[in-house]
Amino acid sequence: MKRLLHKWEGYIYILPALIFMFVFIFYPIIYNLILSFQDVTVTTLLAPHKDFVGLENYIDILKQEEFWNALFLNCVFTVVCIFFQFVGGFALAMVFKKETSFFRVTKALMLIPYIIPVTVNAILWKFFFATNGGFINEILVGMGWLEEGIEWLQHPWTAMFSVIVANIWCGIPFFMILLSTGLANIPMDFYESARIDGATAIQQFIYITVPSVKASIQASLILGIVYTFRAFELIYVMTGGGPVNGTELLTLYSYKNSFTKFDFSVGATISNILMLLLLVVGVFYIRMMKDVVLEYK
């Protein structure tokens, strides 16, 4: 009996984690896939037998202009956010590279936007961009740059600008953390040798810093794309996907179909397409990191 328990001891330890993953990850994914091949609405959700429609939901979704609009907005939102988050995070990581007590405290304070829950950040920025009494309008009007406040969240492109600014604010610390780890592992001897050889600060950055943190850059960019592409809470709280679907990303488009129109099959189909897109990014990331590991070996 003891020998049998010893043989299965490792599996017993990981059993709770496997049960958790099955209940909260694998089962919802499988159920969502099945749902996307059926015709399920609020009237048929609890029916014992549901109509099987095959790929009809996927074909219908790809024909909808709303879907392509949401995908386009998703790409714009992700590209702009990732660019500024990466640049801002890299700049802060370079600034706080020195290990001093002042920089350590300041660096810790810079993590606050990342530590605060997304919903709290969304409420905060919604107040900042408020038309009447909003922090940003008050500053712009007070400085004489505007005669009256802008309705930031009432027009499609200004609303998109607002949620992008809010998401950039939340994401910069994430890039700063990951890139700081890579920068901390660069030997200072590299820079000293480069200075002796007459290399400028820009040349040191291009030929020493960037290649040395290549793995951190790749990891932060891929993870940042995944997190940003599936953004939901921030936009839902700030704009709800409006106005006129101006900030309706794929996540909100799926939510609207599932819990506003109660067309659960369509909502599941959209989320599966989103999962497939992120799966492609994930596979690319795994292959890329494998190449990095082989390069270091």
Side-chain angles (χ1 to χ4, degrees):
M1 185 66 179
K2 289 183 178 180
R3 296 178 64 179
L4 182 63
L5 287 174
H6 180 74
K7 180 181 178 181
W8 292 95
E9 185 178 7
Y11 297 100
I12 294 172
Y13 282 131
I14 66 172
L15 183 61
L18 290 175
I19 294 174
F20 177 86
M21 292 179 66
F22 177 79
V23 173
F24 294 102
I25 298 178
F26 297 127
Y27 173 73
I29 291 175
I30 295 171
Y31 181 74
N32 214 48
L33 285 170
I34 296 173
L35 205 62
S36 67
F37 295 115
Q38 298 175 332
D39 182 17
V40 181
T41 61
V42 68
T43 58
T44 60
L45 180 63
L46 299 179
H49 301 288
K50 302 175 181 66
D51 293 336
F52 178 80
V53 296
L55 297 175
E56 184 177 330
N57 288 322
Y58 291 91
I59 295 171
D60 290 343
I61 284 295
L62 295 177
K63 290 180 180 179
Q64 293 181 10
E65 185 178 346
E66 282 185 322
F67 169 78
W68 293 106
N69 178 68
L71 180 59
F72 171 74
L73 293 177
N74 233 128
C75 293
V76 171
F77 179 80
T78 302
V79 170
V80 176
C81 286
I82 291 299
F83 175 79
F84 286 102
Q85 286 175 350
F86 175 76
V87 172
F90 208 153
L92 290 175
M94 292 290 292
V95 170
F96 297 129
K97 187 169 61 172
K98 296 181 180 179
E99 288 295 328
T100 64
S101 57
F102 173 76
F103 278 171
R104 280 195 294 268
V105 173
T106 308
K107 187 176 180 180
L109 293 175
M110 292 297 298
L111 296 177
I112 292 177
Y114 185 66
I115 296 172
I116 295 177
V118 177
T119 305
V120 176
N121 271 315
I123 295 172
L124 179 67
W125 280 98
K126 188 175 183 179
F127 168 73
F128 283 170
F129 282 110
T131 304
N132 299 316
F135 179 73
I136 294 176
N137 275 340
E138 289 294 321
I139 289 179
L140 295 176
V141 173
M143 296 180 67
W145 291 359
L146 295 175
E147 294 183 1
E148 59 181 11
I150 298 174
E151 296 179 335
W152 294 101
L153 302 177
Q154 306 304 318
H155 302 284
W157 285 107
T158 53
M160 176 58 76
F161 171 80
S162 302
V163 296
I164 285 175
V165 170
N167 194 68
I168 290 172
W169 161 265
C170 299
I172 284 179
F174 170 78
F175 282 86
M176 184 185 71
I177 294 170
L178 291 183
L179 295 172
S180 294
T181 304
L183 290 172
N185 294 326
I186 303 176
M188 296 305 298
D189 295 344
F190 290 0
Y191 294 102
E192 293 176 4
S193 300
R195 280 193 292 269
I196 293 173
D197 292 337
T200 64
I202 296 177
Q203 290 174 328
Q204 292 176 39
F205 177 78
I206 295 174
Y207 297 107
I208 297 177
T209 304
V210 173
S212 299
V213 295
K214 179 181 177 182
S216 297
I217 291 174
Q218 292 174 334
S220 62
L221 285 175
I222 296 297
L223 293 175
I225 290 172
V226 172
Y227 294 148
T228 305
F229 206 82
R230 61 180 182 83
F232 175 79
E233 301 99 318
L234 182 77
I235 302 174
Y236 180 77
V237 173
M238 287 187 67
T239 64
V244 198
N245 301 334
T247 58
E248 188 178 79
L249 307 188
L250 287 175
T251 50
L252 281 97
Y253 185 45
S254 174
Y255 175 85
K256 183 181 76 173
N257 278 277
S258 294
F259 301 107
T260 302
K261 297 181 178 180
F262 298 106
D263 195 339
F264 301 110
S265 293
V266 174
T269 303
I270 298 167
S271 64
N272 286 336
I273 293 174
L274 177 61
M275 181 181 68
L276 180 62
L277 293 173
L278 294 179
L279 183 63
V280 173
V281 176
V283 171
F284 176 74
Y285 169 71
I286 293 172
R287 294 195 61 177
M288 185 174 60
M289 294 308 297
K290 181 179 178 181
D291 293 338
V292 171
V293 171
L294 294 175
E295 181 180 326
Y296 277 103
K297 286 183 178 180

